[in-house]
Amino acid sequence: MAYPVVCALSKRAVILQSSDILAYNELPLHQANSINGNANGNGNSVGGITAMASKSSAPQNIIANAGLSYEDVLNDDFQFDMDGHDVMVFLHIQKTGGTSFGRHLVRDLDLKRPCECQRQRKRCYCFRPHRNENWLFSRYSTGWKCGLHADWTELTSCVDVELDKNEGETAKRRYFYISLLRQPIARYMSEYRHVRRGATWKGSRHWCLGRQATAAELPACYKGKDWLDVDLDQFAGCESNLAANRQTRMLADLALVGCYNKSSMPAHERDRVMLASAKRNLAAMAYFGLTEYQKMSQYIFEETFNLRFAIPFEQHNTTISATAVQNLRPDQKRRIDKLNSLDIELYAFAKTLLFQRFEHLKAKDINFEQRYANLGNIYFKQGVTEFNWDSNVEDGLSTDH
């Protein structure tokens, strides 16, 4: 079969403007989708992000490699090319079920050359069928090469460099960014419980525009080695606690808001720009899933990349964190809702977009009923990972989860 040429991506200068991205918040979802990957008379499209000129503000020149957009993979003849230079980049947001999903990627995909996972090690070799080059950039394949739980800002400026370094040569690769999101309040409570047990994520770099965030920009919420046994009111009371609106921050281009320097613009403006940027980047991603919609997320992944998991994703509607949310005092619930207001709006946007993608793929699939009823049913695959998504969301204690 002849495949259409999709432009391979390498390092590129992308001009992004806060004023233009803000308009994204005001667009209906179908228009928001259409501007990802489609040039118009006012600018040109680069990797799913539109670079436009603005009369109202000076441009920021940012080196970004945002990968191929969802629009790019909608073509009927598209295929993720394991033998070429395609790379899947997993943006792993804490407490969204990413640890379990990451294990799925390295253990349970039906591949010509399965990933080689070593016992007692959190690392697998996920190489292309005919050469020892990585097709997956993730915690369990390459390790945290761009920093612990690297975000969109860090990954898009780092992945290409790290793979060149790792493979000893410069290559023109096509990048496909993937991620998971979770209902914001349940995710926040899960992070609270994880931190209360001693997790810190001190290894995170918080890298933006060539430097790490300073101690003045991100003051510590606690003294000592961890925040063990912190109560919820203290946790929510720390203004520099990155648990609040974590999903929005990790999906946004932080260079647009002065990185971690909150004095660079008014708080309300910073929030609007960050949310609009996160929406745009999410809509441009080749794939994202939602923790609350396992089966739908699995189907969308498999149909998007023409890859099959050898195990079905299970849905468990009751988690410890969901129970904890129900037990919040009214004042605590109001406070946590306010702290995560951007994530709540982003999640609503993501949910609508996920359902749209599902319906689009479903309409194209003449064997949908059979396919959907038999997700993960690859009878000849042996030794697959036992998987319980929501129970694994509550990971055991580890500072690198």
Side-chain angles (χ1 to χ4, degrees), residues 246 286 394:
R246 179 180 288 283
E394 309 296 343

Side-chain angles (χ1 to χ4, degrees), residues 14-300:
V14 181
I15 301 176
L16 299 172
Q17 321 259 311
S18 297
S19 57
D20 297 309
I21 288 203
L22 276 176
Y24 201 86
N25 272 339
E26 313 304 325
L27 289 174
L29 189 54
H30 70 278
Q31 288 183 307
N33 286 334
S34 69
I35 67 173
N36 288 297
N38 294 301
N40 58 34
N42 297 322
N44 51 65
S45 173
V46 188
I49 297 181
T50 305
M52 299 180 178
S54 172
K55 297 180 181 179
S56 60
S57 61
Q60 299 181 38
N61 291 307
I62 303 163
I63 298 299
N65 196 344
L68 270 71
S69 72
Y70 179 70
E71 299 295 324
D72 292 323
V73 303
L74 283 181
N75 192 295
D76 288 337
D77 291 328
F78 169 79
Q79 183 169 333
F80 183 76
D81 190 359
M82 285 276 184
D83 267 326
H85 293 283
D86 289 359
V87 179
M88 208 176 288
V89 182
F90 181 27
L91 194 167
H92 182 175
I93 300 171
Q94 289 96 316
K95 313 315 293 178
T96 58
T99 297
S100 297
F101 183 71
R103 289 175 185 147
H104 259 312
L105 290 173
V106 299
R107 294 179 183 177
D108 297 329
L109 278 172
D110 185 47
L111 304 171
K112 290 181 181 178
R113 183 182 180 181
C115 298
E116 299 173 17
C117 299
Q118 302 178 1
R119 292 191 176 187
Q120 308 304 321
R121 290 194 63 191
K122 294 181 180 179
R123 191 67 55 84
C124 301
Y125 299 108
C126 294
F127 292 144
R128 305 187 188 282
H130 303 296
R131 63 187 190 276
N132 292 343
E133 293 179 1
N134 295 286
W135 61 265
L136 175 64
F137 193 96
S138 74
R139 168 192 179 183
Y140 288 124
S141 57
T142 55
W144 300 112
K145 293 289 187 183
C146 294
L148 180 60
H149 286 285
D151 57 26
W152 190 95
T153 305
E154 292 171 309
L155 287 171
T156 54
S157 64
C158 165
V159 171
D160 213 38
V161 174
E162 286 299 324
L163 285 179
D164 283 351
K165 189 188 305 180
N166 188 59
E167 294 168 2
E169 63 178 2
T170 300
K172 290 185 177 181
R173 305 179 186 89
R174 301 195 307 178
Y175 291 109
F176 299 81
Y177 278 77
I178 64 176
S179 193
L180 300 177
L181 282 77
R182 186 181 181 188
Q183 197 284 327
I185 308 308
R187 196 218 63 81
Y188 182 87
M189 292 300 295
S190 182
E191 180 164 342
Y192 161 65
R193 294 183 66 256
H194 201 51
V195 170
R196 192 172 188 273
R197 296 195 300 264
T200 64
W201 296 300
K202 286 181 178 178
S204 296
R205 298 194 308 167
H206 305 120
W207 190 268
C208 180
L209 288 181
R211 69 173 182 85
Q212 285 185 265
T214 66
E217 290 169 335
L218 281 180
C221 287
Y222 56 89
K223 296 179 180 179
K225 65 177 184 177
D226 55 41
W227 213 359
L228 192 68
D229 294 328
V230 60
D231 68 43
L232 182 58
D233 292 328
Q234 287 177 309
F235 186 79
C238 178
E239 292 186 3
S240 57
N241 188 349
L242 293 178
N245 289 318
R246 179 180 288 283
Q247 296 176 106
T248 301
R249 178 183 61 80
M250 290 187 69
L251 288 170
D253 183 352
L254 297 181
L256 296 172
V257 294
C259 299
Y260 291 90
N261 178 11
K262 292 186 178 180
S263 64
S264 63
M265 64 175 64
H268 72 280
E269 184 76 2
R270 177 184 176 86
D271 286 350
R272 290 177 65 226
V273 172
M274 196 159 60
L275 176 61
S277 176
K279 286 181 178 179
R280 170 176 283 193
N281 291 340
L282 183 72
M285 276 188 172
Y287 167 81
F288 69 89
L290 297 182
T291 306
E292 289 73 23
Y293 297 93
Q294 307 308 315
K295 194 168 186 177
M296 190 180 297
S297 295
Q298 179 175 359
Y299 177 77
I300 292 172

Side-chain angles (χ1 to χ4, degrees), residues 370-382:
Q370 183 179 6
R371 271 276 295 124
Y372 203 64
N374 291 282
L375 285 175
N377 183 16
I378 301 178
Y379 65 90
F380 53 84
K381 178 88 171 184
Q382 301 296 321

